[in-house]
Amino acid sequence: MDTMLLRIFVSTIVVSLLVFIILLIKRLLNNHMTVKAHYHIWFILCIPILTAFLPWNYFRLGEGIRYLKSYLFFHREAPLNSERINGVDASQAPNSNLLHDFTVSVNKAAPDFVYHTFFTVWVIGVVLFVGAAVYSTYQIYQIKKSAVAVDNQKLNKLLEACKEMVGVKRNIRLRETFLISSPITFGIFQPYIFLPSKTREAFSLNELKYVLLHELHHHKSKDLFVNYVMWMFQIIYWFNPVVWYASKRIRMDRELACDASVLNLLDESGYIEYGHTIIRFADKKYDRAFEQFAPGIGGTKKQIKQRIQCIASFSSDSLLLKWKSK
């Protein structure tokens, strides 16, 4: 287990450094990257979560691991008989064996205690966040259980037309439920789009088209899978504020990338209508636990404000900008 804790410690440092590097790149090359590139560059963070659990001994890196472990005092070598204890040669001092055993036990007890304390705290945090993930999954199960199929023929035809526009060929189930106040999408193997009850009465068919385009782009970009990876990061590195900040930025970049994908399908007149549609879902109870797993068109007022600013200044990416982003 000490090797596992060491790998978590090293990968925490690597993850934190990668987050700072990514943020620096995004800042320095802000005008030379597309909105999608600002989102996709975060995928580099997948590297530490893989390397942290690789069998390094197979790659003959065991000596380096052992050196690092000894450097961090995970293991302490027992004092040699030739060491001096309180100025007296241990091999010549009276009761040297007794003093030697006592010294060894003290040297080992402190690191073991510290190690077990940190490991126990980390495990408790992991268990709590796994519990939060289970609770979020339960909330989504309740939503699926309460949802009813949309039998409106016009809306179902609109969904098929939007799927063709986005390039999604999978069967997407459209459902309505009273348990949400903003549209969300969920399901990796069985994809769903959930609409709040009475959405059809409150929104025009054109506004619903923007909602469906947004949710379908989440499916096309595999954002639901990314959400699970993000949660895995937060569970493992729950103690690291840098990871929490990165997760917040990833969610924001994800929505900006999704907005840009939708705008690329619209003409300039549609930009304003799309922006107005997003504003109508601003801050509609977007802080529920399941929102971490199920992205949607809504968000907090601060998030919506930033997205509207990006929509107002949106322009199609040039070929040169796309190549620079790659």
Side-chain angles (χ1 to χ4, degrees):
M1 289 193 301
D2 55 343
T3 302
M4 180 179 178
L5 188 63
L6 176 64
R7 290 181 176 184
I8 293 173
F9 173 76
V10 174
S11 64
T12 299
I13 296 175
V14 173
V15 167
S16 300
L17 289 175
L18 276 177
V19 170
F20 286 121
I21 291 172
I22 290 171
L23 291 174
L24 181 62
I25 292 174
K26 285 165 61 66
R27 185 175 183 86
L28 293 178
L29 304 179
N30 180 53
N31 296 326
H32 302 279
M33 297 170 60
T34 63
V35 177
K36 290 183 179 180
H38 277 279
Y39 173 49
H40 293 158
I41 194 174
W42 288 109
F43 295 172
I44 297 174
L45 289 177
C46 294
I47 297 174
I49 205 170
L50 296 175
T51 57
F53 303 100
L54 284 176
W56 289 109
N57 291 333
Y58 178 78
F59 299 102
R60 298 183 179 179
L61 297 177
E63 292 184 5
I65 293 293
R66 285 194 294 272
Y67 172 77
L68 191 56
K69 286 163 65 177
S70 63
Y71 180 77
L72 294 173
F73 302 102
F74 278 93
H75 291 288
R76 300 282 295 271
E77 294 293 336
L80 299 174
N81 289 335
S82 60
E83 289 184 339
R84 299 179 66 84
I85 302 176
N86 294 330
V88 182
D89 193 285
S91 60
Q92 299 175 357
N95 300 322
S96 60
N97 290 334
L98 180 63
L99 291 173
H100 173 76
D101 294 339
F102 176 77
T103 304
V104 172
S105 64
V106 170
N107 287 337
K108 287 186 175 181
D112 287 346
F113 172 76
V114 172
Y115 158 71
H116 286 297
T117 300
F118 276 107
F119 187 77
T120 302
V121 172
W122 177 74
V123 170
I124 291 173
V126 169
V127 171
L128 291 176
F129 280 97
V130 168
V134 172
Y135 177 67
S136 299
T137 304
Y138 171 75
Q139 284 188 317
I140 293 174
Y141 170 76
Q142 291 295 105
I143 291 174
K144 290 172 64 177
K145 188 178 179 181
S146 66
V148 295
V150 176
D151 56 1
N152 186 285
Q153 189 174 5
K154 289 185 179 180
L155 192 54
N156 284 315
K157 286 184 177 180
L158 179 62
L159 174 62
E160 294 302 318
C162 290
K163 285 171 59 180
E164 187 175 350
M165 288 179 63
V166 175
V168 174
K169 297 181 180 180
R170 298 184 63 186
N171 181 29
I172 308 291
R173 296 167 175 80
L174 188 61
R175 300 288 187 268
E176 283 184 326
T177 174
F178 62 90
L179 293 180
I180 59 176
S181 56
S182 178
I184 61 171
T185 185
F186 182 78
I188 296 178
F189 302 107
Q190 291 185 348
Y192 288 88
I193 293 178
F194 295 105
L195 300 176
S197 298
K198 300 182 180 180
T199 300
R200 285 180 290 167
E201 291 80 359
F203 289 82
S204 66
L205 205 61
N206 204 41
E207 289 174 323
L208 289 174
K209 181 185 75 172
Y210 300 135
V211 172
L212 295 176
L213 288 175
H214 184 96
E215 303 304 327
L216 288 170
H217 265 292
H218 279 309
H219 281 287
K220 183 179 180 180
S221 302
K222 306 295 187 295
D223 290 335
L224 291 92
F225 176 76
V226 175
N227 286 349
Y228 280 104
V229 176
M230 286 169 52
W231 254 100
M232 189 182 301
F233 259 93
Q234 290 176 298
I235 289 173
I236 296 175
Y237 304 107
W238 62 264
F239 54 88
N240 191 345
V242 176
V243 172
W244 285 93
Y245 177 75
S247 298
K248 182 179 179 181
R249 289 292 300 269
I250 291 171
R251 285 192 291 270
M252 189 69 245
D253 288 339
R254 177 194 68 199
E255 293 305 318
L256 293 176
C258 190
D259 290 339
S261 297
V262 174
L263 294 177
N264 281 323
L265 299 176
L266 307 176
D267 53 27
E268 292 188 7
S269 62
Y271 298 173
I272 299 176
E273 296 177 356
Y274 179 72
H276 282 299
T277 303
I278 291 177
I279 291 174
R280 296 188 62 177
F281 291 108
D283 210 23
K284 289 185 177 296
K285 297 181 180 180
Y286 200 72
D287 56 350
R288 298 179 66 177
F290 66 82
E291 303 288 0
Q292 302 292 332
F293 289 96
I297 195 172
T300 63
K301 291 181 180 179
K302 185 178 180 180
Q303 292 171 342
I304 295 296
K305 180 180 178 181
Q306 185 176 349
R307 290 169 64 185
I308 292 299
Q309 290 172 342
C310 291
I311 292 173
S313 59
F314 176 79
S315 60
S316 299
D317 299 327
S318 64
L319 184 60
L320 176 61
L321 183 62
K322 292 179 180 179
W323 275 107
K324 287 193 292 184
S325 297
K326 292 180 181 180

